[in-house]
Amino acid sequence: MRSDAVKTGMAQAPHRSLFNALGYTKEELRKPLIGVVSSYNEIVPGHMNLDKIVDAVKLGVAMAGGTPIVFPAIAVCDGIAMGHQGMKYSLVTRDLIADSTEAMVMAHQFDALVMVPNCDKNVPGLLMAAARLNIPTIFVSGGPMLAGRVNGNKTSLSSLFEAVGAYSAGTMTEEEVEEYENKACATCGSCSGMYTANSMNCLTEVIGMGLKGNGTIPAVYSERIRLAKHAGMKIMELLEKNIRPRDIMSKEAFMNALTVDMALGCSTNTMLHLPAISHEVGFDLNIELANEASAKTPNLCHLAPAGHTYMEDLNEAGGVYAVMNELSKKGLLNLDLITATGKTVGENIMNCKNLNPEVIRPIENPYSETGGIAILKGNLAPDSGVVKRSAVAPEMLAHSGPARVFDCEEDAITAIKAGKIVRDDVVVIRYEGPKGGPGMREMLNPTSAIMGMGLGSSVALITDGRFSGASRGACIGHVSPEAAVGGNIALVEEGDIIDIDINENSLNFRITEEELEARRAKWQPREPKITTGYLSRYVAMVTSGNRGAILEVPKAK
């Protein structure tokens, strides 16, 4: 066992004395040491129940013959961090989580791991760590929030952000907003729509690193506790069989993930996280493969914000495995891959029926014949841009209009709320990318303001930043190269006509090559916004959005 390095032999007597100080017995130290990585904290609603999940995992590990040992991982609540300086610190925690988990595991020589994440960056961060460490690992998340209810209708956090925009437009009273405020987030758990946290928890199931229900069983259900106990027990089987993350997270598993991503209509942030995780496995996932997956994968689900169904509805309809079973009817998945269940994908999803065709459309009757995400390219995004096609109004799938250019999120929000953005405009928010932001802030506030102002079917938004999974509308993010490194988005000027064609995967602005080169010759890089602390180091190492904003050591000039 790996843990023999810290507990077995005469040279390890000092180590054992420290385990004694922790209260461990000789009997416990004879067993495999299983690290339980807990993202529990008291600031993220999706994490306030993780202490109970961790306790259940520990019990499962002990029942199956292991010694569970808990250590922490950080997590940021994107909703609370939204719209201010704090959002610069959201995406960047993904790498802090991966690095700190690696440090803890290598320092203490755990034999295997159970990861207990829930929200936006600690799910991919811990998947990155699992791939990097490559010791037997399984995931069990904290589960999604139940939908809120206002006036008898289900609702969620995204509705509240849009309610603020409606208040600014004078179409909603303060009292009505307060009702949403009090009822939209009804329980603990990751926010109740197909936002980033739930997208990544569902894709963890698809990739094969979590058990059935990992992405969909609500946080407040006792079934979630039972799932955690089973995950604790299952890790001992994975350890015995030496089934490791890189055995599970193969290239084919990531293609399965892209396919199910298209069917579910997941957050655009998956296009940042899947490449980052695959990079840790040892290969680079070109996000343009998403268009290949989308071309052959029907969109089967319209969960919030794209529609009016929620994670609890997906769970009751049969969950992720039921969606995968629908896709398997057309041979869209590789069914022979090993998973953390100890079985193959095909064995896992066999007989998992679609119990509600209103929530999971049968594959013969999809919402659309193509998937939920599109990768766009053109002279405005030479490398790529990303849009959640399934959450775009049909009339906005093709759109042309004048650029309204802003060099930060705050200026755009001020203009939107002041009524300065009008029908057909294309709002461009730049210098918000991985380096320029820094930290690639989410733009839920401006997208929600556009929706709340009643402009969602006539105004588009383009940014080198990114969007919350709760954003909807013609919102194109991750534009690469970003403005901070001289990407063409930095060269767009007020009034330039921008042409968007999502079905044709194109994003362009009307300009001659001569004028483009003239603007490029005049462009000057900007001084960094932040020059101290972690963000300054992040800026020096982070790559572009189309590569998943992974970190690389800068090459010597």
Side-chain angles (χ1 to χ4, degrees):
M1 291 187 289
R2 279 168 50 94
S3 61
D4 286 344
V6 297
K7 68 183 187 182
T8 302
M10 183 54 66
Q12 280 66 41
H15 305 69
R16 289 194 296 276
S17 71
L18 294 169
F19 280 104
N20 290 340
L22 288 161
Y24 288 103
T25 65
K26 289 182 178 180
E27 291 79 5
E28 288 174 297
L29 294 183
R30 291 190 188 110
K31 299 175 181 179
L33 302 187
I34 309 301
V36 181
V37 187
S38 171
S39 297
Y40 170 78
N41 63 46
E42 295 182 344
I43 190 64
V44 183
H47 292 221
M48 63 179 285
N49 67 318
L50 293 191
D51 55 342
K52 296 177 177 59
I53 302 298
V54 166
D55 286 345
V57 167
K58 290 173 65 179
L59 184 57
V61 169
M63 289 167 61
T67 297
I69 302 176
V70 179
F71 65 89
I74 64 169
V76 164
C77 177
D78 276 25
I80 294 175
M82 194 72 65
H84 57 86
Q85 181 91 347
M87 183 45 68
K88 295 179 185 290
Y89 287 86
S90 172
L91 179 61
V92 305
T93 65
R94 185 186 69 184
D95 297 274
L96 279 175
I97 290 161
D99 291 348
S100 60
T101 302
E102 175 194 1
M104 287 294 289
V105 172
M106 295 305 293
H108 302 104
Q109 293 293 292
F110 292 102
D111 295 301
L113 298 169
V114 182
M115 306 291 202
V116 187
N118 208 30
C119 288
D120 294 32
K121 307 311 168 303
N122 68 322
V123 179
L126 291 178
L127 282 165
M128 290 164 66
R132 189 183 301 175
L133 292 161
N134 200 35
I135 63 175
T137 304
I138 195 168
F139 279 66
V140 56
S141 77
M145 192 181 283
L146 294 179
R149 282 170 171 76
V150 176
N151 299 324
N153 298 314
K154 290 183 179 180
T155 191
S156 61
L157 183 65
S158 56
S159 300
L160 184 52
F161 273 93
E162 292 178 16
V164 174
Y167 174 77
S168 298
T171 58
M172 187 173 280
T173 67
E174 184 175 349
E175 290 74 18
E176 289 171 324
V177 174
E178 186 175 4
E179 184 174 14
Y180 274 91
E181 179 183 335
N182 290 330
K183 296 179 179 179
C185 296
T187 71
C188 65
S190 48
C191 295
S192 56
M194 188 53 81
Y195 310 144
T196 305
N198 293 326
S199 295
M200 289 308 303
N201 282 323
C202 287
L203 295 185
T204 299
E205 243 184 281
V206 178
I207 291 171
M209 290 296 291
L211 302 180
K212 179 184 179 183
N214 178 71
T216 60
I217 298 170
V220 295
Y221 283 13
S222 297
E223 186 182 358
R224 175 66 56 177
I225 301 295
R226 298 198 298 273
L227 178 72
K229 290 176 183 176
H230 283 130
M233 289 184 272
K234 183 62 69 172
I235 191 59
M236 300 307 296
E237 178 186 332
L238 297 178
L239 178 60
E240 181 184 357
K241 295 179 177 178
N242 196 29
I243 297 175
R244 304 185 183 201
R246 292 184 195 173
D247 299 325
I248 296 169
M249 292 195 283
S250 62
K251 291 182 181 180
E252 293 79 10
F254 279 88
M255 289 308 300
N256 278 356
L258 284 176
T259 298
V260 179
D261 192 327
M262 298 303 144
L264 286 173
C266 290
S267 164
T268 52
N269 282 312
T270 61
M271 296 297 104
L272 286 173
H273 300 324
L274 291 176
I277 300 161
S278 72
H279 181 75
E280 296 291 348
V281 174
F283 66 92
D284 290 327
L285 183 71
N286 187 336
I287 62 168
E288 291 181 47
L289 291 171
N291 282 343
E292 293 183 22
S294 179
K296 60 185 180 182
T297 307
N299 179 226
L300 305 182
C301 299
H302 266 192
L303 290 104
H308 300 288
T309 53
Y310 295 83
M311 295 304 297
E312 63 200 68
D313 302 312
L314 178 59
N315 187 63
E316 291 169 10
V320 174
Y321 279 12
V323 174
M324 294 174 73
N325 198 32
E326 286 289 344
L327 295 172
S328 72
K329 294 175 183 178
K330 286 195 174 181
L332 296 175
L333 298 175
N334 188 320
L335 303 180
D336 298 326
L337 309 177
I338 192 66
T339 70
T341 66
K343 300 177 181 179
T344 65
V345 172
E347 289 172 318
N348 287 343
I349 68 174
M350 189 182 301
N351 300 320
C352 291
K353 297 179 180 178
N354 179 357
L355 303 177
N356 189 339
E358 297 301 314
V359 176
I360 304 171
R361 288 280 186 94
I363 199 160
E364 301 83 11
N365 181 35
Y367 283 101
S368 64
E369 293 294 340
T370 53
I373 288 178
I375 308 299
L376 312 184
K377 295 186 76 171
N379 67 0
L380 186 46
D383 289 339
S384 65
V386 181
V387 64
K388 188 171 183 174
R389 172 167 38 199
S390 60
V392 178
E395 59 269 31
M396 290 297 291
L397 291 171
H399 178 81
S400 297
R404 303 299 307 280
V405 182
F406 304 93
D407 286 351
C408 67
E409 176 190 9
E410 289 82 358
D411 290 350
I413 292 171
T414 299
I416 294 166
K417 291 186 175 180
K420 295 181 180 179
I421 302 302
V422 299
R423 185 179 181 85
D424 295 333
D425 282 349
V426 180
V427 177
V428 177
I429 306 177
R430 61 193 181 188
Y431 294 99
E432 289 285 8
K435 287 184 180 292
M440 204 177 187
R441 288 194 287 180
E442 289 185 340
M443 301 292 158
L444 180 57
N445 274 355
T447 60
S448 298
I450 286 170
M451 285 292 175
M453 298 287 283
L455 297 170
S457 61
S458 61
V459 168
L461 195 155
I462 298 170
T463 182
D464 54 6
R466 61 195 179 93
F467 294 109
S468 164
S471 292
R472 63 190 178 103
C475 308
I476 301 165
H478 310 191
V479 168
S480 301
E482 63 174 295
V485 299
N488 286 355
I489 190 172
L491 309 180
V492 177
E493 294 183 357
E494 188 82 7
D496 285 347
I497 301 301
I498 294 177
D499 297 313
I500 302 165
D501 194 327
I502 293 172
N503 286 332
E504 294 298 321
N505 305 112
S506 68
L507 177 61
N508 294 284
F509 66 122
R510 299 179 193 175
I511 189 171
T512 65
E513 279 299 318
E514 293 77 14
E515 176 61 19
L516 188 63
E517 289 307 313
R519 292 185 190 181
R520 182 171 289 113
K522 292 188 293 183
W523 178 81
Q524 293 292 323
R526 302 192 174 194
E527 290 297 318
K529 296 176 184 177
I530 294 176
T531 57
T532 61
Y534 176 58
L535 283 181
S536 67
R537 299 194 297 276
Y538 184 85
V539 168
M541 297 178 68
V542 71
T543 62
S544 64
N546 70 301
R547 295 187 60 200
I550 61 172
L551 301 186
E552 288 184 339
V553 177
K555 296 179 181 178
K557 293 183 179 179

